[in-house]
Amino acid sequence: KNESSSSSSSSGKGTWRADVISGPFKEPPSKETCAAVRICVQELIQPVLKQMEAWTNDERCQAASTLHTLIILGQDAVVTSESLPRVLQALMKHVSDLEDPSYPKVCQTLRTIGCLLPVGSWIEHTLRSLQTNAEGGHSAWLVLLNEMVKGTPKGSLFPYMLKLSRVLSRRSIALSEDRPTRFFARAAMTSLLLHYDNNNSSAAGGGGGAPTGSGG
């Protein structure tokens, strides 16, 4: 199977995109495999989130990789078990250090969340966090938003485009004195525009570089 192709997932409401998901699965896992994980996904996720706080790089990288797999297999059950807010909070703590060895896998997990989980399940929580945090505390949530947007299926963000644009245009974000906040706000807006463009022209989009370090 062509790994850059997209197809409807056999085990969830999202769209399977091998180019976004990558990891151990080249195609959607079987319904039987997913069903076994979904039964106990909450119990499986909790120790993984704890391991992400480990001191050693190897343990954090292993935890991020395991969490990525659990998102693929658990999908909607991650939402219905009310585990997603804790997952996002845990991932948010690991995107401020761009040199952390777990950072690439954390970003891959975020793109997989955008790809396979219902948009409304993560976007409302993320926007709420962006609107309630004090100025200078937005950059990590902007990284989360940017990465999840990159993974979303075509057209799935349309109902939220106006709300997203309004939040990203807020003075405390767009004109923040915190340089990483301004950078990642622009990056998120660029990803939104690419999402819109890809839906209309099927053009491929990508992200740019990032500043050294990020605040908040």
Side-chain angles (χ1 to χ4, degrees):
K1 181 177 179 178
N2 187 335
E3 292 185 19
S4 64
S5 63
S6 298
S7 64
S8 296
S9 169
S10 63
S11 52
K13 296 180 180 179
T15 298
W16 184 269
R17 291 178 55 192
D19 60 314
V20 168
I21 296 168
S22 188
F25 300 99
K26 305 304 180 186
E27 58 185 22
S30 68
K31 292 181 178 180
E32 292 74 19
T33 301
C34 291
V37 172
R38 289 174 178 179
I39 292 173
C40 53
V41 68
Q42 188 171 17
E43 290 77 9
L44 292 171
I45 283 179
Q46 188 56 41
V48 174
L49 298 184
K50 184 176 181 179
Q51 187 181 3
M52 288 191 70
E53 303 298 327
W55 285 100
T56 66
N57 292 335
D58 287 345
E59 285 184 285
R60 291 198 307 277
C61 289
Q62 181 182 18
S65 181
T66 302
L67 182 59
H68 177 240
T69 300
L70 288 175
I71 296 297
I72 294 172
L73 297 176
Q75 296 190 32
D76 286 359
V78 177
V79 179
T80 57
S81 67
E82 300 183 352
S83 299
L84 186 57
R86 289 185 287 117
V87 168
L88 294 178
Q89 193 72 28
L91 293 172
M92 184 272 297
K93 296 177 182 178
H94 294 278
V95 295
S96 293
D97 184 0
L98 307 186
E99 297 181 359
D100 189 314
S102 67
Y103 182 83
K105 181 57 71 173
V106 166
C107 289
Q108 184 183 40
T109 301
L110 288 165
R111 291 192 291 272
T112 299
I113 288 173
C115 184
L116 294 180
L117 272 55
V119 173
S121 67
W122 53 264
I123 205 166
E124 295 293 351
H125 181 81
T126 305
L127 290 178
R128 198 159 47 243
S129 298
L130 283 171
Q131 293 177 85
T132 56
N133 280 345
E135 185 170 358
H138 300 115
S139 61
W141 284 104
L142 289 167
V143 174
L144 262 68
L145 176 63
N146 185 37
E147 295 299 329
M148 290 187 288
V149 165
K150 288 179 182 178
T152 52
K154 293 178 181 179
S156 60
L157 287 174
F158 282 9
Y160 304 93
M161 292 291 274
L162 181 59
K163 182 182 290 187
L164 281 164
S165 298
R166 285 175 174 170
V167 172
L168 292 175
S169 300
R170 290 177 60 150
R171 183 178 183 86
S172 60
I173 294 177
L175 299 178
S176 173
E177 295 183 3
D178 180 56
R179 179 173 174 261
T181 295
R182 297 196 308 272
F183 177 89
F184 288 116
R186 289 195 299 269
M189 185 63 78
T190 299
S191 294
L192 285 175
L193 293 174
L194 287 172
H195 177 89
Y196 179 83
D197 182 62
N198 287 346
N199 188 71
N200 289 278
S201 64
S202 298
T212 303
S214 64

